[in-house]
Amino acid sequence: MRIDVLGVGFDNLTMTEAVSRGAALLEEPGCHYVVTPNPEIVEVCRENPAAMQAVNGADLVLPDGIGVVKGAAMLGTPLKEKTPGIEFAAGLMGKMAERGRSLYLLGAKPGVADMAAERLQKQYPGLKIAGTHDGYFKEDAPVVEAIRESGADCVFVCLGAPKQELWMARNGPATDAHLLCGLGGSLDVFAGTVERAPKFWSDHGLEWFYRLCKEPKRIGRMMKLPLFLVHVRQEKGKRK
């Protein structure tokens, strides 16, 4: 049973449960994909039916950030905890390294995925990097073919929302990978080109503010957060 937050259904899992579920999907036949919506992406889904369909069609929908968790609580349907995509990815790579599974990195500016691959290979010695590709491509087919030929078990798709969610829904099965994960700007963090918020900020639900201080140009995107809370309050009023 998923928790509905403004039309997006979130899986109610702890981080440990989410990582275990992701690892299990890797072992199951067929292709599966994971999405990690934050309030901004929920707002995009409200305006974009195709994005909403792609997000809700995922095998795992995880709340990335405290905003979604607060919204669910306001609606009287609390989620267990926030499950940030980058932490989910770290846990999943740990499991993959233990099993010798392979990972393909897709997204970010040219060179970033290669830098991330090099760092992740050192951090997770048992993890196999099947290949990389930047996010600056016009046609899907050559990228899909490259992933299929790499034999990757898992693909981290870091193209930004809703592009990555639509891409996974459209191309997932053709890649022959068992699991695809939409992870936004995670490759920049894995590559070391972007610094993640310190633990204090993250623990207090202020990671978004830390990122805004570092990148003031994000202010337009951050305005989605108060809009999200307004819509949650409106939905709460309807449910009474």
Side-chain angles (χ1 to χ4, degrees):
M1 181 72 71
R2 285 181 169 174
I3 302 294
D4 185 299
V5 180
L6 301 182
V8 174
F10 288 88
D11 289 291
N12 192 15
L13 305 171
T14 64
M15 179 61 78
T16 300
E17 291 168 342
V19 170
S20 294
R21 180 62 185 137
L25 288 171
L26 260 175
E27 305 300 323
E28 293 181 9
C31 180
H32 315 276
Y33 68 98
V34 181
V35 295
T36 58
N38 57 17
E40 179 189 344
I41 298 175
V42 173
E43 285 299 317
V44 168
C45 288
R46 284 171 55 84
E47 300 165 4
N48 185 332
M52 180 73 85
Q53 185 175 3
V55 167
N56 282 332
D59 297 83
L60 207 50
V61 183
L62 304 176
D64 186 312
I66 197 65
V68 172
V69 174
K70 286 189 179 297
M74 287 169 64
L75 292 170
T77 51
L79 289 159
K80 291 178 181 178
E81 62 182 26
K82 65 175 181 176
T83 49
I86 196 161
E87 292 176 21
F88 168 78
L92 185 63
M93 285 187 287
K95 298 274 191 186
M96 290 176 64
E98 291 172 5
R99 301 173 185 176
R101 295 288 183 259
S102 58
L103 174 66
Y104 195 101
L105 303 177
L106 171 63
K109 294 177 181 178
V112 172
D114 293 330
M115 290 170 61
E118 188 176 338
R119 286 169 60 113
L120 292 174
Q121 192 75 78
K122 293 176 182 176
Q123 194 172 352
Y124 303 94
L127 182 67
K128 298 174 183 175
I129 301 297
T132 66
H133 198 292
D134 63 64
Y136 290 71
F137 58 89
K138 293 183 178 179
E139 296 182 9
D140 291 350
V143 179
V144 170
E145 179 63 20
I147 295 172
R148 184 167 61 245
E149 288 184 357
S150 78
D153 298 307
C154 181
V155 186
F156 285 177
V157 184
C158 304
L159 303 175
K163 184 178 180 180
Q164 62 195 14
E165 289 77 15
L166 294 168
W167 197 94
M168 292 188 295
R170 183 171 64 246
N171 297 303
T175 66
D176 279 352
H178 286 286
L179 186 67
L180 297 91
C181 306
L183 296 169
S186 296
L187 283 186
D188 290 294
V189 178
F190 292 141
T193 59
V194 170
E195 182 187 358
R196 236 199 129 193
K199 190 172 185 299
F200 173 86
W201 295 71
S202 180
D203 287 350
H204 289 79
L206 294 170
E207 192 165 5
W208 63 273
F209 187 62
Y210 178 86
R211 293 179 71 186
L212 180 59
C213 292
K214 289 282 187 179
E215 302 175 71
K217 63 183 180 180
R218 295 176 64 91
I219 186 66
R221 293 172 60 183
M222 291 299 181
M223 291 311 294
K224 293 280 189 182
L225 181 56
L227 183 61
F228 169 80
L229 294 174
V230 167
H231 288 149
V232 167
R233 289 193 183 95
Q234 290 174 344
E235 179 65 21
K236 183 178 180 181
K238 292 178 187 176
R239 292 187 184 184
K240 284 183 178 178

